[in-house]
Amino acid sequence: MRRVLGNVLPVVLAAAMVLACQTVQTTGGGAVGVDRAQMMMVSAQEVEQASAKQYQEVLAEARKKNALNRDAATVQRVRRIADRLAAQTGVFRADAPRWNWEVNVLTSNELNAWCMAGGKMVIYTGLIEQLKLTDDEIAAVMGHEIAHALREHARERISKSMATGLGVSVAGALLGVGDAGQSLMGQVAAVTFELPNSRLHETEADRIGVELAARAGYDPRAAVTLWNKMAARSSGAPPQWLSTHPSHSTRQRDLADYAQRVMPLYRPAGGG
């Protein structure tokens, strides 16, 4: 009886994993043509709710450290840029302009920015000040981060992690391996599946980001100058095949290509 149950369990788990997945089209392709279908195992609502709670915790911690929105001029600058970008998100998904967008600035030396599910954004002063970013370059950063939220990349990564974990359990049951074997297979799965997909996410966000910037009246070519600055600050970075991000040279070439593709959409604010 135990042998029968042992043989049936992996099949049941595998079937449950397949049934739990759903294929979704999170965004339209836009002019840049990002239209890959995605497999999800967790609902958008669950991810958005969790993101909103986490975002409030981040802000609360920043307040305690007196690191939240310390420079009114910088906050106003960033929010003005974000508002123009958010107004263009309907090109990729009709619901996005109605999201409860929120943008804050944290005082930190980190060269970082992010956008959670549902449009909860943060940019760090270190990124703006150390790289001396222009408005066009800030738009490149924020357009990229907004693109991650539009494509629901966080939801997709969570789903893939769930699927990989369940898959490892099934494989472990089938092969009769212990914890060490499952751990090794988990590492193999991460290198094989998670790293390439993470690079794909970055490329999708780059391409959507330049289109958002162009449509919002920011020069999409600023994405190239931005990553030139990043490359100068990232000497000694790991090669592309060991990184979750594309190499700087690969990224620069792709950004330059797609920036040129969306130039017909670019109308400088106040210009002709």
Side-chain angles (χ1 to χ4, degrees):
M1 188 65 170
R2 285 184 180 177
R3 174 173 290 183
V4 172
L5 288 175
N7 291 334
V8 170
L9 181 59
V11 177
V12 172
L13 289 174
M17 180 170 64
V18 172
L19 290 173
C21 287
Q22 58 174 316
T23 302
V24 301
Q25 200 78 29
T26 56
T27 64
V32 292
V34 176
D35 58 0
R36 176 180 59 90
Q38 297 158 276
M39 295 295 293
M40 303 296 193
M41 293 185 69
V42 61
S43 74
Q45 183 180 14
E46 288 173 312
V47 175
E48 286 182 20
Q49 289 176 345
S51 296
K53 290 179 181 178
Q54 181 62 37
Y55 189 69
Q56 292 306 315
E57 289 185 8
V58 169
L59 297 187
E61 186 63 25
R63 276 191 206 93
K64 289 180 184 177
K65 298 178 179 178
N66 191 31
L68 180 64
N69 298 330
R70 287 174 53 179
D71 182 353
T74 299
V75 174
Q76 183 179 21
R77 179 189 182 197
V78 166
R79 287 179 176 171
R80 181 179 66 251
I81 295 169
D83 286 346
R84 283 170 53 179
L85 291 167
Q88 301 301 320
T89 56
V91 171
F92 292 98
R93 50 187 299 166
D95 64 323
R98 299 189 300 273
W99 286 359
N100 185 21
W101 293 91
E102 188 172 351
V103 185
N104 289 282
V105 179
L106 299 190
T107 299
S108 168
N109 289 328
E110 288 186 56
L111 306 183
N112 200 13
W114 41 265
C115 183
M116 289 183 174
K120 306 300 185 186
M121 300 182 66
V122 158
I123 187 167
Y124 294 75
T125 56
L127 186 63
I128 299 171
E129 295 170 0
Q130 293 182 44
L131 299 187
K132 297 179 171 57
L133 297 187
T134 65
D135 283 5
D136 291 323
E137 288 168 342
I138 292 176
V141 171
M142 301 185 82
H144 173 94
E145 299 305 329
I146 287 171
H148 279 307
L150 296 177
R151 289 291 290 160
E152 299 187 45
H153 283 154
R155 180 184 173 199
E156 187 177 17
R157 293 188 70 175
I158 292 168
S159 298
K160 290 193 176 191
S161 178
M162 291 170 63
T164 301
L166 185 52
V168 167
S169 296
V170 171
L174 285 170
L175 299 176
V177 299
D179 291 343
Q182 290 192 33
S183 176
L184 177 60
M185 285 189 294
Q187 293 176 46
V188 170
V191 172
T192 303
F193 301 112
E194 294 178 19
L195 295 187
N197 282 325
S198 186
R199 293 185 198 129
L200 177 60
H201 287 178
E202 290 297 304
T203 299
E204 289 182 344
D206 280 348
R207 293 175 181 179
I208 290 175
V210 295
E211 181 169 344
L212 286 173
R215 290 183 181 277
Y218 295 103
D219 190 338
R221 294 167 296 188
V224 179
T225 64
L226 166 69
W227 291 110
N228 284 339
K229 291 179 179 181
M230 292 294 289
R233 292 295 299 268
S234 303
S235 57
Q240 178 171 344
W241 54 276
L242 284 179
S243 174
T244 58
H245 289 55
S247 70
H248 285 299
S249 59
T250 299
R251 192 169 214 165
Q252 287 161 341
R253 286 194 301 270
D254 195 72
L255 283 168
D257 178 15
Y258 278 82
Q260 284 301 320
R261 294 190 193 195
V262 300
M263 280 301 291
L265 301 173
Y266 171 48
R267 296 291 182 274

